[in-house]
Amino acid sequence: MSAHDFLVELGTEELPPKALKSLGEAFLAGVEKGLKAAGLGYQSARYYAAPRRLAVLVEALASQQPDRTVNLDGPPVQAAFDKDGNPTQAALGFAKKCGVELSQIDQSGPKLKFSQSIAGQSTVSLLPGIVEASLNELPIPKRMRWAARKEEFVRPTQWLVMLFGQHVVDCEILAQKAGRMSRGHRFHANYEVAIESPASYSHDLRGAFVVADFAKRREQIAKRVEELAKAENGTAIVPPALLDEVTALVEWPVPLVCSFEERFLEVPQEALIATMQDNQKYFCLVDGNGKLLPRFITVANIESKDPAQIVAGNEKVVRPRLTDAEFFFKQDKRQPLEKRNQRLANVVFQAQLGSVYDKAERVSKLAAFIAERIGGDASRAARAGILSKCDLASEMVGEFPEMQGIAGYYYAKHDGEPEDVAQALNEQYMPRGAGAELPQTLTGAAVAVADKLDTLVGIFGIGMLPTGSKDPYALRRAALGVLRILIEKQLDLDLVEAVGFAVGLYGDKVKAEGLAQQVLDFIFDRLRARYEDEGVDVAVYQAVRALSPAAPLDFDQRVQAVQAFRQLPEAAALAAANKRVSNILAKAEGQLPAAVDAKLLEAGAEQTLAQAVAAAAQAVAPMAAARCYREALAQLASLREPVDAYFDAVMVNAEDAAVRANRLALLNQLRGLFLGVADISLLG
């Protein structure tokens, strides 16, 4: 069967830059889905995406569907005809489903059968429907109409190229008649460009100042930006999302270096970077120490004969934005940071939970409580807590919301606050996302945990629990943040105690009964997903969860120990033995003796196990006390042989009540050794 390359290009007005890449990928996915559904084979496929076009190129696409045979089974013959040989509704319904008369149905076997050979259709006849279906399925939140037409798309369409081999596919899609004429660059080559063949598409457009390949354009921009930054003795800040957006804004990228006045460097560089990236789509430059340079790179969409004009224009545009940031910074510094709490007393945090200042007061007390327990300075934590929300009332954060915390750091430094207090004002929001940076200071860690626990307790306390995908107060992220800080920074905080203290700070604003346990369950439940992502079996998590350790760090240390224990050859047998012991003890009646009476032990396996348990208890006691759980479980692994021998030789439920109770006491001691780390009976 012959095969040809296929090209479709839809020309439009300028497409939304933040969505261009996803639109191109979705267009490709839709076309491939349609080709596969039609049974059309092809070698490879790729997408092109530029500001005014979406395109898909399919290489070596089969020119026709293969012939196929459809075989359908119907009802049994005895159900298809009554005793007089007349067709039943089952038979008539099957014939109707097949689209033929009953006489054309095969009645020779035990069931009615229908077979039909279907000749494959030509690819050219199928392509318009495949392309149209793909365009209709694009992820476009809101489609638009233009002129007097009823067709809808993300932007008005301007032209359509559809070529199969050398020939145009005759069709009309989204108000455009297919042809081979594309368009060049809006300014450099504002004329029609003939596409000779699908394979020449990229080359033909490059001659008209259009780099149609999104990936190549992106790579070209990244490489040139890096070269220009190096020439300025700096490094460019190139966030992937910004690079994608800039790539989507230009057809013929020409990066240029611009500059701004050095006086603006007195403003927090985060504010300057934010406004240049978010508002102007510039790439900022920093030196080897990460300090902002008075340079930035813009990416023009034309190759100008006088690039200095473009540079001057961009410098003129950015100056008012930087001047605004400078003005807000100077205005804010005229007033001590703490005075802004007066304004926050009138700003609602949550209607039932009080003002933002109320929250700051709670965070201050809770942060001091936490700092004392993780080796920090309680007074510094309390100070950072009371200042934690002040910058929300500043002009800088009002204009640049992403500066919250960062602005607070600079204003606290200006006011002469201790370094760790100033840092904590920014670190309170850490981690800002999955895998993001954690607080570096103990003061910052205390405030970050306090802020998150206060939110969790408050929102749970008024019954606004997250449901499904709805989590308006980001409680899941808050819980994960608490866990990451305490585990990854090795901070040994009793969360039961801390949550109880947080509940007390709310007084009668929340329903306290059962609240602490509800919050704790929510937090520790987040660990399950964390461990699953790390490849830890859920049974390991459950084995530790059964003991309800109060500190996340302690919880994690136990999980890591049990995970290592599972790799030992003795693990499976000991888990099974623990399960057996657990079941036996669950059925025991009355109170078990506190100690094992050696005089009631039988010689042999029973005495051997008792001696092994006593020796193990002595050996693991200091390990458990030091939380050396991995070493403790490795030591307990030596109990496998005496445990197996015991169950082979000894009947636990002896006739003699005293002997039976003594044996249960021995098993209780054995189980207690493992429960010092986890309930390994759940591993079986």
Side-chain angles (χ1 to χ4, degrees), residues 600-668:
L600 294 175
L601 296 172
E602 281 186 1
E606 189 169 21
Q607 287 185 354
T608 301
L609 179 61
Q611 291 165 3
V613 168
Q618 192 171 0
V620 301
M623 296 177 186
R627 291 191 182 172
C628 298
Y629 299 124
R630 190 176 297 216
E631 293 80 355
L633 285 177
Q635 178 70 37
L636 292 176
S638 64
L639 291 173
R640 177 190 172 176
E641 286 188 18
V643 167
D644 287 349
Y646 176 83
F647 280 119
D648 287 342
V650 177
M651 176 68 72
V652 177
N653 289 318
E655 293 290 335
D656 188 311
V659 171
R660 183 168 65 250
N662 199 53
R663 288 175 179 174
L664 291 172
L666 175 58
L667 293 182
N668 197 38

Side-chain angles (χ1 to χ4, degrees), residues 64-85:
Q64 186 163 337
Q65 282 181 314
D67 295 341
R68 67 188 192 279
T69 301
V70 175
N71 294 309
L72 296 174
D73 283 343
V77 171
Q78 58 265 36
F81 299 94
D82 62 21
K83 59 182 180 179
D84 298 323

Side-chain angles (χ1 to χ4, degrees), residues 77 79-93 95 102 107 112:
V77 171
F81 299 94
D82 62 21
K83 59 182 180 179
D84 298 323
N86 297 315
T88 64
Q89 283 302 317
L92 296 172
L102 185 59
Q107 304 170 20
L112 298 187

Side-chain angles (χ1 to χ4, degrees), residues 461-532:
I462 57 174
M464 295 183 66
L465 283 62
T467 56
S469 60
K470 293 183 180 179
D471 187 8
Y473 289 93
L475 300 183
R476 294 186 183 94
R477 189 172 68 186
L480 286 168
V482 168
L483 293 168
R484 276 198 63 205
I485 292 169
L486 297 179
I487 292 172
E488 294 178 31
K489 291 192 68 66
Q490 302 278 295
L491 302 177
D492 193 16
L493 177 68
D494 184 323
L495 213 53
V496 174
E497 193 181 35
V499 170
F501 187 82
V503 171
L505 291 173
Y506 270 101
D508 59 3
K509 287 183 179 178
V510 297
K511 187 179 179 182
E513 186 181 349
L515 175 57
Q517 191 57 51
Q518 191 180 25
V519 171
L520 288 165
D521 287 343
F522 180 78
I523 293 173
F524 281 109
D525 284 349
R526 301 308 99 190
L527 275 174
R528 177 170 179 160
R530 172 190 168 103
Y531 288 129
E532 284 178 356

Side-chain angles (χ1 to χ4, degrees), residues 372-677:
E372 282 181 342
R373 285 152 181 79
I374 62 172
D377 186 311
S379 62
R380 296 273 184 89
R383 180 64 179 165
I386 205 68
L387 296 175
S388 62
K389 307 302 174 188
C390 288
D391 68 350
L392 297 179
S394 68
E395 299 290 336
M396 177 70 81
V397 173
E399 180 68 17
F400 305 106
E402 63 274 18
M403 286 293 291
Q404 64 177 12
I406 299 168
Y409 165 78
Y410 284 103
Y411 297 147
K413 288 279 289 179
H414 177 263
D415 291 349
E417 299 287 350
E419 177 65 25
D420 62 332
V421 171
Q423 280 188 293
L425 302 191
N426 181 33
E427 292 176 342
Q428 67 177 305
Y429 297 106
M430 295 179 179
R432 284 182 162 92
E437 184 184 2
L438 296 176
Q440 296 300 305
T441 66
L442 284 175
T443 301
V447 176
V449 171
D451 182 53
K452 292 167 179 59
L453 287 183
D454 177 77
T455 299
L456 283 161
V457 168
I459 302 303
F460 267 81
I462 57 174
M464 295 183 66
L465 283 62
T467 56
S469 60
K470 293 183 180 179
D471 187 8
Y473 289 93
L475 300 183
R476 294 186 183 94
R477 189 172 68 186
L480 286 168
V482 168
L483 293 168
R484 276 198 63 205
I485 292 169
L486 297 179
I487 292 172
E488 294 178 31
K489 291 192 68 66
Q490 302 278 295
L491 302 177
D492 193 16
L493 177 68
D494 184 323
L495 213 53
V496 174
E497 193 181 35
V499 170
F501 187 82
V503 171
L505 291 173
Y506 270 101
D508 59 3
K509 287 183 179 178
V510 297
K511 187 179 179 182
E513 186 181 349
L515 175 57
Q517 191 57 51
Q518 191 180 25
V519 171
L520 288 165
D521 287 343
F522 180 78
I523 293 173
F524 281 109
D525 284 349
R526 301 308 99 190
L527 275 174
R528 177 170 179 160
R530 172 190 168 103
Y531 288 129
E532 284 178 356
D533 290 344
E534 293 174 1
V536 175
D537 193 280
V538 68
V540 174
Y541 163 81
Q542 289 170 334
V544 176
R545 187 83 166 91
L547 271 60
S548 299
L553 178 61
D554 184 32
F555 196 116
D556 185 66
Q557 290 167 338
R558 291 170 188 264
V559 165
Q560 303 308 329
V562 176
Q563 181 74 351
F565 171 73
R566 288 194 81 193
Q567 312 308 313
L568 300 178
E570 301 89 350
L574 284 170
N578 265 268
K579 194 167 189 175
R580 185 174 179 181
V581 170
S582 177
N583 291 335
I584 291 170
L585 292 174
K587 296 173 184 175
E589 297 177 358
Q591 191 169 355
L592 299 179
V596 175
D597 186 345
K599 290 181 289 185
L600 294 175
L601 296 172
E602 281 186 1
E606 189 169 21
Q607 287 185 354
T608 301
L609 179 61
Q611 291 165 3
V613 168
Q618 192 171 0
V620 301
M623 296 177 186
R627 291 191 182 172
C628 298
Y629 299 124
R630 190 176 297 216
E631 293 80 355
L633 285 177
Q635 178 70 37
L636 292 176
S638 64
L639 291 173
R640 177 190 172 176
E641 286 188 18
V643 167
D644 287 349
Y646 176 83
F647 280 119
D648 287 342
V650 177
M651 176 68 72
V652 177
N653 289 318
E655 293 290 335
D656 188 311
V659 171
R660 183 168 65 250
N662 199 53
R663 288 175 179 174
L664 291 172
L666 175 58
L667 293 182
N668 197 38
Q669 284 188 2
L670 170 66
R671 180 148 170 75
L673 290 177
F674 286 94
L675 286 176
V677 180

